[in-house]
Amino acid sequence: MAENAHSASAHAQTDPLAVLGALHGVPEAVDSVRKAVDGVYGHRVMRRRSNEVTSEAALRGARASAALADADWPLEEVRRRSDFSADAQARTVGATLRLTAEAGQLLGVWRQSPVQALARLHLVAAGGAQAGPGGSADTVGRPRLAGEPVEEPLVGVEEFPLPEPGEVNARLEGLADLLLAGTAAPALVIGAAVHGELLCLRPFGTFNGPVARAAERIVLVASGLDPKSICPAEVGYAELGRAEYLKALEGYASGTPEGMSEWIVHCGRALELGVRESVAVCEALQRGAA
């Protein structure tokens, strides 16, 4: 018994993500998310038309992620458009659409090198060129260097201290080490930690919010919680609103147990709202209305 207790204690010390999973309110959020996800995966439409649900969830998730990045287009406008180069808002919508499409292709890279996967996400978001502040292509697909600015359209996030590049690199490597070492933490906790850390670090010159949300999507798929990527948490974040998003992020940035719990629970609520969106899609498909 004593040996087991010692082993559990040692594991907790080497698995800080699992510690987050035990914070007040987090186990309940994890259970609630799991039940919601199980519910949509059990919907009868998923047996034959899961690809359609996945496609619709991707579109709605991309639209919502763009809305959080100050490009709040109606869903039908996103569905209708084919040119996403006209202006800053169009480029943002195009970036989130590309990110959503790319996320499912990066599972293998993510499992081997999360930092490499993040660089790829930024490259995809930027469209491969002219994405850095001032239009410099050499800032694309790599963490920012000293003196390089950050363009972040998430209003309010600029109030959070912007870490220096040295700290950014160290924290990215630390996060990657945690992920590669394996963790007993639930998928919701891992995804929330990745999402929150990237939002706080803002490692790239542009598109940090969309990249952070795409990385969370990868975690949820790779973990097996949402293997078909039909639960767009981005929809929930947009529905809960930017003010609540930033308030919860402030909790994550504080590093306190209460603040971290607030962020994870917020991410759980967003994911449940994303599930609700996909249930509505399933119901519409069942009625022949979508």
Side-chain angles (χ1 to χ4, degrees), residues 65-266:
S65 187
L68 287 166
D70 214 25
D72 192 0
W73 287 14
L75 181 62
E76 291 311 312
E77 177 70 5
V78 179
R79 201 189 301 277
R80 180 185 66 81
R81 289 283 285 270
S82 57
D83 178 15
F84 296 96
S85 61
D87 53 39
Q89 284 201 357
R91 288 191 292 273
T92 296
V93 175
T96 59
L97 287 167
R98 290 191 299 273
L99 282 169
T100 302
E102 184 72 12
Q105 309 302 314
L106 285 177
L107 299 183
V109 178
W110 181 264
R111 293 184 177 111
Q112 296 295 321
S113 174
V115 174
Q116 183 181 343
L118 291 171
R120 174 62 186 170
L121 286 173
H122 186 248
L123 185 66
V124 167
Q130 61 191 8
S136 175
D138 66 1
T139 64
V140 174
R142 63 157 175 80
R144 55 188 166 82
L145 303 177
E148 291 180 346
V150 173
E151 291 181 357
E152 191 55 66
L154 179 58
V155 177
V157 78
E158 68 274 3
E159 297 176 8
F160 293 83
L162 186 67
E164 292 296 323
E167 180 184 349
V168 169
N169 289 329
R171 285 172 62 174
L172 280 178
E173 291 296 336
L175 178 63
D177 288 346
L178 284 177
L179 295 172
L180 293 173
T183 175
L188 170 64
V189 173
I190 304 169
V194 168
H195 183 173
E197 190 72 356
L198 292 174
L199 282 178
C200 289
L201 292 179
R202 282 152 288 168
F204 303 108
T206 53
F207 297 114
N208 287 292
V211 166
R213 291 184 286 276
E216 181 184 51
R217 176 182 284 266
I218 290 175
V219 170
L220 298 178
V221 173
S223 67
L225 176 66
D226 181 20
K228 294 184 183 293
S229 195
I230 61 167
C231 306
E234 303 95 331
V235 169
Y237 294 122
E239 185 171 335
L240 291 168
R242 189 177 294 175
E244 286 300 310
Y245 191 54
L246 288 169
K247 180 176 179 293
L249 181 62
E250 184 178 356
Y252 178 88
S254 74
T256 65
E258 295 80 10
M260 300 290 278
S261 172
E262 180 184 0
W263 170 249
I264 295 167
V265 169
H266 181 80

Side-chain angles (χ1 to χ4, degrees), residues 37-77:
V37 172
D38 287 348
V40 70
Y41 270 87
H43 197 286
R44 60 187 302 177
V45 165
M46 288 294 295
R47 297 174 197 163
R48 297 183 180 179
R49 306 181 71 177
S50 63
N51 288 342
E52 293 172 72
V53 180
T54 295
S55 296
E56 190 64 20
L59 184 71
R60 295 181 184 215
R63 189 218 71 82
S65 187
L68 287 166
D70 214 25
D72 192 0
W73 287 14
L75 181 62
E76 291 311 312
E77 177 70 5

